[in-house]
């Protein structure tokens, strides 16, 4: 019998740790023999959403594309791991509704002041100075999930602790 696929949707502000954590969870699931595909928001924009900007319409279209690919993968038995800011709650809910397989929203929560201090790429500094328009959490809204299945706090937890919390949740729901 084929294993059930599902989508893990990591959402959170830039620099919160979505990509790092999605890699850690993906590696752990692959080590358990699961078929895993990661859909990283930054990579997706370079490959399948090239030409889209950062207007609300373009962001919505990018999330719809990631959601569509995640839906195809998960309904065919793979674990689709999406890591994208996905700032608008309505779009995340739309992607969830369109899924045939389980959809697990993971809120990678980290306070803005911590992200501004981390800021390895200098993006927050530029956004706060007005040099980057439509920057989620600064000059454009980020709508946190109201009731995500899982919340991790990357300002308080190690990557390993967050990864393990996600794996325990998935194991407790018999998804892995």
């Amino acid at each position: 019998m084929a294993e059930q696929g599902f989508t893990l949707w990591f959402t959170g502000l830039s620099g919160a740790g979505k990509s790092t954590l999605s890699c850690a969870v993906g590696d752990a699931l692959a080590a358990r023999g699961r078929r895993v595909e990661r859909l990283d928001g930054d990579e997706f924009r370079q490959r399948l959403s090239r030409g889209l900007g950062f207007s609300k319409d373009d962001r919505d279209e990018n999330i719809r594309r990631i959601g569509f690919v995640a839906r195809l993968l998960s309904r065919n038995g793979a674990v689709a791991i999406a890591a994208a800011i996905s700032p608008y709650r309505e779009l995340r809910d739309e992607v969830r509704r369109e899924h045939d397989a389980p959809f697990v929203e993971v809120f990678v929560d980290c306070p803005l002041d911590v992200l501004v201090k981390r800021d390895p790429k200098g993006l927050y500094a530029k956004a706060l100075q007005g040099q980057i328009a439509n920057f989620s959490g600064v000059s454009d809204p980020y709508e946190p999930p109201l009731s995500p299945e899982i919340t991790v706090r990357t300002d308080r937890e190690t990557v390993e602790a967050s990864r393990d919390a996600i794996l325990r949740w998935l194991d407790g729901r018999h998804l892995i």
Side-chain angles (χ1 to χ4, degrees):
M1 183 173 161
E3 291 185 288
Q4 178 181 26
F6 60 92
T7 293
L8 274 177
W9 192 276
F10 289 80
T11 180
L13 289 170
S14 179
K18 296 175 301 299
S19 294
T20 300
L21 190 52
S22 70
C23 285
V25 171
D27 289 348
L29 293 174
R32 293 179 181 208
R34 293 302 307 261
R35 293 182 314 158
V36 176
E37 290 294 335
R38 283 189 58 252
L39 306 170
D40 185 79
D42 291 338
E43 290 178 20
F44 212 87
R45 274 192 170 278
Q46 292 172 2
R47 307 267 183 214
L48 295 175
S49 291
R50 184 176 287 159
L52 291 180
F54 290 91
S55 68
K56 182 169 186 334
D57 287 344
D58 284 355
R59 288 173 186 229
D60 289 353
E61 181 59 26
N62 186 51
I63 296 307
R64 283 186 181 104
R65 291 177 188 184
I66 296 170
F68 177 75
V69 173
R71 178 179 166 229
L72 293 177
L73 290 166
S74 64
R75 79 175 183 197
N76 285 290
V79 177
I81 300 179
I85 294 171
S86 45
Y88 308 115
R89 191 177 299 124
E90 180 180 341
L91 253 293
R92 294 190 307 267
D93 291 345
E94 177 184 310
V95 170
R96 177 191 296 271
R97 282 191 306 275
E98 293 179 356
H99 262 64
D100 308 305
F103 181 93
V104 180
E105 189 173 42
V106 179
F107 179 31
V108 183
D109 191 7
C110 188
L112 184 61
D113 63 318
V114 174
L115 295 172
V116 169
K117 288 176 189 168
R118 284 183 189 169
D119 202 13
K121 298 177 188 174
L123 297 176
Y124 281 99
K126 289 179 182 175
L128 290 166
Q129 294 170 3
Q131 295 174 17
I132 299 176
N134 302 330
F135 195 82
S136 297
V138 176
S139 55
D140 205 57
Y142 174 79
E143 301 167 350
L146 296 176
S147 54
E149 283 76 11
I150 305 166
T151 298
V152 293
R153 289 291 307 258
T154 59
D155 61 320
R156 299 179 187 168
E157 303 168 357
T158 65
V159 171
E160 296 77 19
S162 294
R163 176 202 61 207
D164 292 348
I166 293 166
L167 294 172
R168 279 192 305 277
W169 191 96
L170 294 170
D171 193 37
R173 280 24 172 225
H174 307 289
L175 290 171
I176 57 172

